[in-house]
């Protein structure tokens, strides 16, 4: 049997499981009419956004697809590109459509206690997780079947398709979710003194939609992309190093298939006992890592491959869990750093933010060191190929990670629905607890996503060098130096546009909420319903409008550098961009998470509790942290991968034509 | 005549001018008794800090000097090291001692109008500027005289001496100034509703001392360091490329000597007509650039050297003025970006900071592009040597830049003294106007300092590669990749400690001010004097205490990487660190400057003016921006240079011993 049948099979198993999980989820009770009404508003808002985003992507995709036809093997590349894009969108679509149904069901089942609700949300989240790996493996396997191994460079089209969707989904979803969230909070909490998720707040539905389009669809596209491009990079490296060796080609795919099995088994270990939610998450990822490690070892041994291959894969697996741990260590609720920020809030919003940024900056050291070690270990084990399979090892955990992550928006929404529908105190206690767990999972999986993006970009960088035929990229060559400076700058300018977009869109949201409060009579008394759809529309339009410039920066900069300055400069750009983006993303994501949890720590009653001056200061910190952690930080993941994939994709062009 | 006599002469001219300027300054009237009292408190606080800082530096310096004795040519290196350290400290000492005397004289002469006060402050500031280049050139020339050219690698000791002092002065001064400033503002402005520089605020003297030890002594040490290490790097590169060619060795020194002449002539053009302060600054730097360019061209022609050398120098000169311009474009008072941030303040402290960070991130693109172009132009003109002399060209403007910069703390202090001594409205108007000009000069010269640091670090990187004998530093080599990741991380972890130190020390200051307000009866009524010395002491002790860890990180990381992973990894560290630090420093410095000026814009009466909600929000943004722009951002300059110089200094060790 050809090797790609195994991965095809693994992909099909993943999709069967995903459909099964979706079926189980949909079978659950939906709750009372009010809950259904709210859920339906969230559902239609989310679907509307995803559809409009699709149109924007389609324009870009069609233009690019046509241009790709002019490349060598253009026809195949275009097919691969569209396959990647469609697979990514299908993942986001299926995952999110189940998530927006799992939310209300989680709220309903919360009557029966924490455990039942936890399970419902996890199963709902697992749809996204397994859809991602399923569509990824099926798409890739079919392409390999259809092409021949000798045309492996065409697979980069698949990676770029995933990258393009991810770029839009991450950027658009990120702007959407924070414009709505910040806008809702600024007026709702600060001016009108409404609690979170109060149905009188006109932006509340938009806020809940944002959780789905940002944290669920955006995140799934991001991790799907890492998964897809990592596999492609490993295949390209394998091919670049040993053209004929099928086993080197098959090995990363087998590791990915093992990831499906271990993630399925790991689902059995994700359960919450008592209050220890963090433990549940650790059990999930820990068991996935251990099972994968055992099976990967067995695989390597069975295939009589050098054990060094296994060490490379293992270094990727260990990296994943270390990044998980360090994110929790710094940003987990009640942790030392979080308390420090909460303590600084006593001095006002200024000192809160100063300390929050300080913590975010601090969080870079450990990830930088461990990723450096992982790269080194995998390299001395198996050379450049080792870096490729280390990345595959890490990303083979995708299904587990996305399951845990998608749990977040579901429980967040469940909490919102419980609040808006006025469910009983004991139900809301359960959904609040799950919401808090969801916040932790969102933060920790972000650490994985950032690390995964950096490692896969590093693998892509290696593949790029092979594709353009560079055996060294010398930092002493000043054309490379130029690239390095431009590359190091890219994450800064890119995230600048995202921060600004959130600031602007949030302000528009604030104005809209103020307008509704003023013009709709009886709104604050709960006698009249706000116009949720207007707020949803503002978030949608502005998210889609503001994503164009950053997208163009990400796509056109590498093309311009490659065409004007040539492949060495473009290599330099990747060298400068990847670490710079990794640090900036960690800084942003973790600053935001810490300030968020510092606020929650105060809300739990510390340093004066809710309504105190410290709390007001912490709310300011949380506002600043919001676009850092949910818009700019995560979008950098997509940016570095899109830049890397397009550089490889256009390698033949950069080899043939360069101005200098 | 040997070439080093010319630079010695230029150095002596600079010192004679500096002493003359000091004499003119001291001859001016000191004002009434109250003013003298206040000035004397600032003076003694500043001197006390500089002396205690000296003791801390001395401990490090003595330990290092002893260790250096074990290096090849250890005796000479130790002498060079101590010469560099002493020259830097002398600059800071002379410059600051005049600045703390020029402040009260500026306040006094402000009675006679803007022009007279402007001139007094500029002449006072020029002492620092010319002392820096004077001591730099004299120190270097004497070392070259004493050594022989064949021992040129010893000069790196001089550079490292300057670096060590700069690291302490920038970090310590930066923490001091912002701990005092933030602490004074948090209680003074927010809780007690006291205006800026109110004598009833116990932290007010510490705040004014901070301007001197941070903006004057810290900045002068930073730019002195860039000046010294750039010259050393150019000499090392010249020697590495053409051992015997004395003219290549002399050329950068001649360019530096020309810098003294053009800076002296440029002083004639720095004058303020009407209200246009920015124009005065542009005239100053513009004339310095034009005169230097003409003279450098003449020099190159006279020496019959290739015109390509001149193009390299010119690219450095042009870079300087472009960095000046872009900083002003984004952060200058009333500029578009500033108004945008002020506008965002209407939404609260959160949106103000979001927009401020967005602007800061945005400011990186232009400097990255122009520094890349400058490196490229100089490289294609004259190879690696071109990069060295481009950096020298840029830094040849040091005297002008430092003059303009040191104007800032003098006028800031003058404003403080005028306020505290209760001078008349018309005098305060003049000092307020000068203070505003000073804020602009501080921000724009920071752009120069950051660019200068990046360019000189790049030159040092080239010199490092020569010193360890690497003809290429290949980013595809995974040992280099490790270095790149660690290097890109260093600026983040380093600035994390500084941000935290400011947050902590500011909180202690807040507590002290609150304590004094509570325990000293009649303080707020102006009947009793606060205990200024206690506040000064708190800032001093905490600044010196918190600088140890970041210093050790900066010094020990390159040593550890070099010893454990070897010279390739250390080269990678420099490759990762320089651009990452450049972007982070720009982001931090410019975010802070923009938020500062946004606050001022509101205070001028826009968006509700002083006391409005927007103003309160902008004050929060200013607080966040303070340590970004005056502590963490600028300290990165010193960090990258100290890491680069120590890497060169210990090159023989890394060549001989490496673990891997």
């Amino acid at each position: 049997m050809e090797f790609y049948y195994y991965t095809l099979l693994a992909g099909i198993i993943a999709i069967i499981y995903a459909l099964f999980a979706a079926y189980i989820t949909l079978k659950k009770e939906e709750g009372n009419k009010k809950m259904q009404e709210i859920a339906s508003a969230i559902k239609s808002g989310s679907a509307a956004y995803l559809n409009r985003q699709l149109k924007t992507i389609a324009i870009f995709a069609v233009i690019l697809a046509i241009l790709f036809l002019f490349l060598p093997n253009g026809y195949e590349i275009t097919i691969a590109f569209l396959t990647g894009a469609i697979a990514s969108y299908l993942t986001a679509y299926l995952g999110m459509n189940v998530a927006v149904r799992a939310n209300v069901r989680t709220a309903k089942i919360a009557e029966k206690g924490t455990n039942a609700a936890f399970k419902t949300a996890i199963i709902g989240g697992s749809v996204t997780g397994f859809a991602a790996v399923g569509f990824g493996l099926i798409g890739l396997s079919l392409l390999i079947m259809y092409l021949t191994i000798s045309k492996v460079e065409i697979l980069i089209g698949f990676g770029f398709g995933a990258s393009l969707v991810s770029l839009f989904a991450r950027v658009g979803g990120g702007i959407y979710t924070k414009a709505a969230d910040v806008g809702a909070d600024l007026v709702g909490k600060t001016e009108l003194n409404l609690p979170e998720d109060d149905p009188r707040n006109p932006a509340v539905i938009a806020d809940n939609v944002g959780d789905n389009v940002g944290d669920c669809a955006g995140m799934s596209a991001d991790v799907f992309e890492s998964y897809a491009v990592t596999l492609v990079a490993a295949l390209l490296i394998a091919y670049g190093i040993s053209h004929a060796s099928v086993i080197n080609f098959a090995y990363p795919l087998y590791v990915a298939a093992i990831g499906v099995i271990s993630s399925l088994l790991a689902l059995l270990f994700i359960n919450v006992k008592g209050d220890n939610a963090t433990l549940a998450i650790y059990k999930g990822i820990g068991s996935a890592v251990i099972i994968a490690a055992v099976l990967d070892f067995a695989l390597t041994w069975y295939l009589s491959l050098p054990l060094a291959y296994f060490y490379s894969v293992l270094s990727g697996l260990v990296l994943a869990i270390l990044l998980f741990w360090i994110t929790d260590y710094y940003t987990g609720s009640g942790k030392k750093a979080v308390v420090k920020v909460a303590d600084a809030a006593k001095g006002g919003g200024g000192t809160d933010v100063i300390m929050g940024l300080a913590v975010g900056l601090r969080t870079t050291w450990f990830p930088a060191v461990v990723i450096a070690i992982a790269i080194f270990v995998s390299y001395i084990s198996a050379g450049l190929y080792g870096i490729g399979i280390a990345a595959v090892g890490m990303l083979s955990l995708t299904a587990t990670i996305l399951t845990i992550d998608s749990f977040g928006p579901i429980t967040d929404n469940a909490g919102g629905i419980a609040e808006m529908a006025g469910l009983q105190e004991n139900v809301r206690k359960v959904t609040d607890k799950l919401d808090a767990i969801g916040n932790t999972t969102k933060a920790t999986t972000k650490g994985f996503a950032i690390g995964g993006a950096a490692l896969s970009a590093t693998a892509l960088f290696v593949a790029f060098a092979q594709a353009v035929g560079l055996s060294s990229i010398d930092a002493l060559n000043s054309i490379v130096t130029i690239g390095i400076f431009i590359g190091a700058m890219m994450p800064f300018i890119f995230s600048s546009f995202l921060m600004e977009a959130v600031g602007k869109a949030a302000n528009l949201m604030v104005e809209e909420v103020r307008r509704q409060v003023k013009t709709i009579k009886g709104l604050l008394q709960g006698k009249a319903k706000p116009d949720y759809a207007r707020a949803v529309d503002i978030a949608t339009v502005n998210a889609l409008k503001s994503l164009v410039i950053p997208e163009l920066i990400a796509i056109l900069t590498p093309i311009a550098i490659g065409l004007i300055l040539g492949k060495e400069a473009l290599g330099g750009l990747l060298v400068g961009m990847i670490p710079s983006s990794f640090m900036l993303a960690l800084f942003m994501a973790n600053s935001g998470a810490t300030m968020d949890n510092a606020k929650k720590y105060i809300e739990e009653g510390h340093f004066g509790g809710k309504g105190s001056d410290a709390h007001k200061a912490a709310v300011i910190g949380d506002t600043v942290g919001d676009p850092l952690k949910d818009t700019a930080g995560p979008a950098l993941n997509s940016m570095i991968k899109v830049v890397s994939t397009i550089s490889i994709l256009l390698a033949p062009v950069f080899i043939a034509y360069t101005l200098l």
Side-chain angles (χ1 to χ4, degrees), chain A:
Chain A
M1 194 158 94
E2 295 287 352
F3 65 89
Y4 39 76
Y5 286 119
Y6 292 101
T7 47
L8 186 61
L9 184 67
I12 291 171
I13 290 173
I15 293 296
I16 289 174
Y17 168 78
L19 293 174
F20 173 68
Y23 171 74
I24 291 184
T25 304
L26 296 182
K27 242 183 41 187
K28 302 230 153 126
E29 271 185 84
E30 285 190 78
N32 63 34
K33 202 170 155 243
K34 191 155 186 197
M35 289 164 73
Q36 292 188 35
E37 243 180 63
I38 298 163
S40 141
I42 298 174
K43 201 159 59 189
S44 64
S46 306
Y49 178 76
L50 227 56
N51 288 334
R52 283 171 74 163
Q53 185 175 267
L54 181 58
K55 280 183 204 153
T56 318
I57 299 181
I59 297 169
F60 272 73
V62 167
I63 296 172
L64 289 169
I66 294 171
L67 290 176
F68 292 161
L69 288 174
F70 295 95
L71 288 173
N73 298 315
Y75 178 64
E76 287 97 333
I77 284 180
T78 302
I79 288 178
F81 165 64
L82 294 175
T83 311
I86 290 166
S88 174
Y89 219 77
L90 273 180
T91 302
Y93 208 78
L94 178 60
M96 205 194 71
N97 269 302
V98 173
V100 294
R101 286 166 176 85
N103 54 12
V104 64
R105 289 160 172 88
T106 301
K108 170 67 187 161
I109 212 168
E111 289 169 3
K112 294 188 189 164
T114 309
N115 238 317
F118 182 88
K119 269 185 196 155
T120 306
I122 279 286
I123 293 174
S126 69
V127 175
T128 310
F130 286 85
V133 298
F135 288 126
L137 289 179
I138 293 173
L140 259 185
S141 309
L142 291 178
L143 281 173
I144 296 173
M145 259 162 90
Y146 167 76
L147 309 164
T148 61
I149 293 190
S150 67
K151 281 191 175 177
V152 59
E153 69 269 22
I154 286 156
L155 292 180
I156 194 64
F158 183 78
F160 182 70
S163 290
L164 189 76
V165 170
S166 161
L167 189 63
F168 279 85
R170 257 302 189 202
V171 172
I175 296 172
Y176 187 115
T177 181
K178 289 303 120 171
D181 188 7
V182 171
D185 286 358
L186 279 180
V187 203
K189 288 190 190 170
T190 318
E191 287 180 21
L192 307 176
N193 265 319
L194 300 175
E196 175 87 27
D197 291 322
D198 190 290
R200 290 167 294 174
N201 189 332
V204 71
I205 294 289
D207 186 9
N208 278 283
V209 170
D211 294 336
N212 292 303
V213 304
D215 297 332
C216 184
M219 177 76 169
S220 82
D222 175 5
V223 179
F224 176 85
E225 177 196 17
S226 284
Y227 188 68
V229 300
T230 300
L231 283 170
V232 170
L235 298 178
L236 292 179
I237 297 172
Y239 184 72
I241 286 169
S242 53
H243 283 223
S245 163
V246 174
I247 191 64
N248 276 347
F249 201 77
Y251 185 72
L253 291 171
Y254 289 151
V255 170
I258 282 174
V260 175
I261 312 302
S262 48
S263 292
L264 268 176
L265 293 175
L267 280 180
L268 304 171
F269 295 91
I270 307 180
N271 50 48
V272 66
K273 280 209 183 95
D275 263 4
N276 203 333
T278 324
L279 187 66
I281 300 159
Y282 274 115
K283 281 196 292 190
I285 178 142
S287 56
V289 165
I290 292 169
I291 298 167
V294 170
L295 295 177
D296 288 330
F297 176 79
L299 170 80
T300 317
W301 175 80
Y302 176 77
L303 296 174
S304 312
L305 286 168
L307 260 189
Y309 285 15
F310 169 68
Y311 298 143
S312 298
V313 172
L314 188 64
S315 70
L317 290 169
V318 172
L319 177 62
I321 205 156
L322 287 177
L323 290 178
F324 230 82
W325 170 77
I326 194 68
T327 315
D328 181 43
Y329 177 82
Y330 277 115
T331 71
S333 57
K335 297 284 176 180
K336 219 175 87 188
V338 169
V339 176
K340 204 156 69 176
V341 175
D343 186 47
K346 290 189 295 183
T351 43
D352 180 85
V353 176
I354 290 175
M355 207 52 101
L357 297 179
V359 170
L361 290 164
R362 186 77 51 92
T363 62
T364 55
W365 82 268
F366 186 83
V369 169
V370 292
I371 207 170
I373 294 176
I375 290 172
F376 186 65
V377 168
S378 55
Y379 180 78
I380 54 165
S381 298
L384 293 174
Y385 181 63
I387 295 177
I389 53 179
V392 171
M394 181 176 182
L395 269 303
S396 73
L397 301 168
T398 291
T400 302
I401 299 291
L402 272 183
T403 298
I404 293 172
D405 173 73
S406 302
F407 170 85
I410 293 174
T411 53
D412 199 336
N413 268 219
I417 292 170
E419 178 77 33
M420 284 186 269
L423 298 192
Q424 283 176 319
E425 182 74 23
N426 65 323
V427 178
R428 296 228 303 266
K429 257 199 178 148
V430 170
T431 56
D432 278 358
K433 197 199 286 175
L434 292 185
D435 189 11
I437 302 177
N439 273 315
T440 308
T441 62
K442 275 192 290 184
T444 45
T445 49
K446 222 169 272 165
F448 174 89
I450 294 170
L455 195 57
S456 70
T458 305
L460 287 167
F461 165 66
V462 172
F464 164 79
Q466 290 180 347
V468 294
L470 286 174
S471 59
S472 87
I473 291 174
D474 178 11
L476 283 169
N477 178 347
S478 93
I479 198 93
V480 174
T481 309
I482 297 190
I484 292 177
F485 270 95
I486 306 284
M489 173 270 286
M490 278 190 74
F492 288 79
I493 183 90
F494 183 80
S495 44
S496 160
F497 281 97
L498 302 198
M499 294 289 288
E500 191 182 344
V502 171
K504 274 189 189 166
N507 262 338
L508 293 175
M509 191 64 85
V510 165
E511 280 166 26
E512 172 62 19
V513 172
R514 283 186 189 147
R515 190 193 64 78
Q516 291 200 20
V517 170
K518 221 186 254 170
T519 55
I520 301 178
K521 273 175 196 159
L523 180 73
L524 288 182
Q525 293 73 41
K527 287 175 193 155
K529 263 181 76 173
D531 183 358
Y532 297 128
R534 269 295 281 275
V536 167
D537 201 54
I538 287 174
T540 305
V541 171
N542 281 287
L544 292 174
K545 208 171 65 182
S546 345
L547 56 66
V548 176
I549 294 181
E551 311 288 279
L552 290 178
I553 290 176
I555 296 172
L556 296 182
T557 309
I559 299 181
I561 295 289
L563 287 179
I564 300 170
L565 301 174
K567 54 194 183 177
E568 278 96 351
L570 186 52
L573 184 140
L574 299 179
V575 172
M577 178 188 70
I578 296 167
S580 159
S581 178
F582 182 54
M583 306 309 155
L584 196 60
L586 288 167
F587 159 53
M588 289 177 156
N590 294 335
S591 294
T594 309
M595 290 193 273
D596 186 358
N597 275 331
K599 185 197 70 176
K600 291 203 175 99
Y601 185 76
I602 292 176
E603 286 174 351
E604 285 164 12
H606 304 276
F607 302 123
K610 266 193 183 175
S612 64
D613 281 347
H615 183 238
K616 276 175 202 153
V619 168
I620 292 172
D622 183 40
T623 306
V624 174
D626 266 341
L628 288 174
K629 78 177 198 296
D630 290 321
T631 313
L636 290 173
N637 297 343
S638 302
M639 187 202 75
I640 60 172
K641 285 173 289 180
V642 106
V643 171
S644 306
T645 45
I646 202 159
S647 301
I648 302 178
L649 190 64
L650 300 183
V653 181
F654 302 139
I655 293 174
Y657 318 94
T658 293
L659 197 68
L660 284 183

